[in-house]
Amino acid sequence: MLQTAARSRSGPICVFSYFRLRNGKTPFGFISEGGTELDFQSSARAEIMADSPLILVVEDEFFLQADLDDGLSGGGFATEVVSSGEEALTLLMTKRHDALVTDVKLAGVLSGWEVARQIREKDPSFPVIYVTAYKQDWAANGVANSVLIPKPFTSAKVVAAVWGLLNQRTAPTT
């Protein structure tokens, strides 16, 4: 994240924060003046987010869904959020996603472990990030070359993990 500061003629300092995507576009920003955030670029946000990587988030706890959605959106990603493994697999059959961020224990029958395995059967290099309290089961159940972020987590950690796996996937091989 980049920040610039400027003093307005009226006196308060305005801080402009923004993320710059790999394609050079800025997905969003805000100006903070005296502790108040002023949103801008709302008309351009939809266009920019359409060019952003699409992340499928699978989490059955409402507040964690919101945290992951806000953090990933703020990190330059478009997101789709579902509660169950079944919903996740249905979406993955109808739309192209760039990465999966999943809890392990989900609503429904399928676990996050199973969702990731089924995705990897179709695409062996698909980026998978587990956000879970069940880290002890990762070695036995997690897919290879995945990332595990134990709960409680920070949004910055999740965003960094997703960008890291996406960059590994698109890095040129020599």
Side-chain angles (χ1 to χ4, degrees), residues 67-108:
D67 286 347
L68 287 165
D69 186 36
D70 289 346
L72 289 165
S73 296
F77 299 106
T79 59
E80 282 195 276
V81 181
V82 296
S83 311
S84 72
E86 293 80 7
E87 291 174 292
L89 291 177
T90 299
L91 272 178
L92 287 163
M93 287 188 278
T94 61
K95 194 183 283 187
R96 175 73 179 140
H97 292 80
D98 297 295
L100 171 70
V101 174
T102 186
D103 191 1
V104 171
K105 302 289 185 189
L106 302 169

Side-chain angles (χ1 to χ4, degrees), residues 35-53:
T36 304
E37 291 182 3
L38 308 170
D39 193 12
F40 78 100
Q41 290 184 347
S42 57
S43 62
R45 184 176 305 185
E47 176 189 337
I48 292 168
M49 293 311 280
D51 292 338
S52 300

Side-chain angles (χ1 to χ4, degrees), residues 54-57 97-101 126-129 162 166 169:
L54 180 59
I55 311 305
L56 178 59
V57 176
H97 292 80
D98 297 295
L100 171 70
V101 174
F126 194 84
V128 174
I129 295 95
V162 173
L166 289 174
R169 189 173 193 191

Side-chain angles (χ1 to χ4, degrees), residues 16-21 23-29 40-41 44 48:
F16 174 68
S17 300
Y18 59 94
F19 289 89
R20 182 126 0 239
L21 299 176
N23 63 7
K25 293 186 177 181
T26 304
F28 78 97
F40 78 100
Q41 290 184 347
I48 292 168

